[in-house]
Amino acid sequence: MTTISLVLQTEGNSLLMMIKRITGLPLSDIKSRIQNKEPLMVVDYLKNDEMEKMRALVLELLKNKANFKVYEHNDDEMEELPLEHFMNSFELSRQIAEERERMDELLFDDDED
C-alpha cells in the first residue's frame, strides 16, 4: 500500500488552527508532531477523500509560506516527494476514482439489462 505523509519543517504556531480544522487533530498532538518532525497527516494514495484533505492542507501551507515536506511510503521505503509530483499524483488519483465510478455505472447498467 502506498501512503503519503506531510511533515512541517518549521514552527507553525500561527498555523495551528488551520491545521486543526483540516486534520481534525487536537492542538497538543499538532504541536507535538511539529516539534518531533512527525507527520501531520498520513493518507492512503488510493483514497480520494484523504488525498483531497491533504491537498487542502498543502495549499494552505503554501499560501502561508510554511516550510514542509511530503513523503511517499511504499512498504519499507520512504522518499521525499517533490510538490509537483504530489499535485500530479493527486490529480491522477482523482481521475482513477472517476474512471472507477464510470466503470461501476457501466457494469451496474449492464446488470439491469
Side-chain angles (χ1 to χ4, degrees), residues 4 8 17-18 23-24 32 47 94 104 112:
I4 298 177
L8 195 59
M17 292 309 292
M18 177 273 296
T23 65
S32 173
K47 294 191 176 177
R94 189 183 61 74
D104 286 347
E112 289 181 351

Side-chain angles (χ1 to χ4, degrees), residues 1-46:
M1 173 173 77
T2 300
T3 59
I4 298 177
S5 64
L6 184 143
V7 178
L8 195 59
Q9 300 295 308
T10 56
E11 290 298 318
N13 289 333
S14 63
L15 305 171
L16 292 177
M17 292 309 292
M18 177 273 296
I19 294 169
K20 178 180 174 32
R21 179 177 47 82
I22 294 172
T23 65
L25 292 170
L27 290 175
S28 59
D29 284 358
I30 295 169
K31 287 178 184 178
S32 173
R33 290 178 185 208
I34 291 170
Q35 278 183 331
N36 297 321
K37 303 281 190 246
E38 295 173 354
L40 291 173
M41 287 187 82
V42 178
V43 300
D44 183 337
Y45 174 76
L46 296 176

Side-chain angles (χ1 to χ4, degrees), residues 11 15 22 48 51 60 62 69 83 92-93 97 109:
E11 290 298 318
L15 305 171
I22 294 172
N48 204 36
M51 289 288 287
E60 285 294 323
L62 287 171
K69 291 186 179 182
L83 190 55
L92 181 59
S93 175
D109 288 346

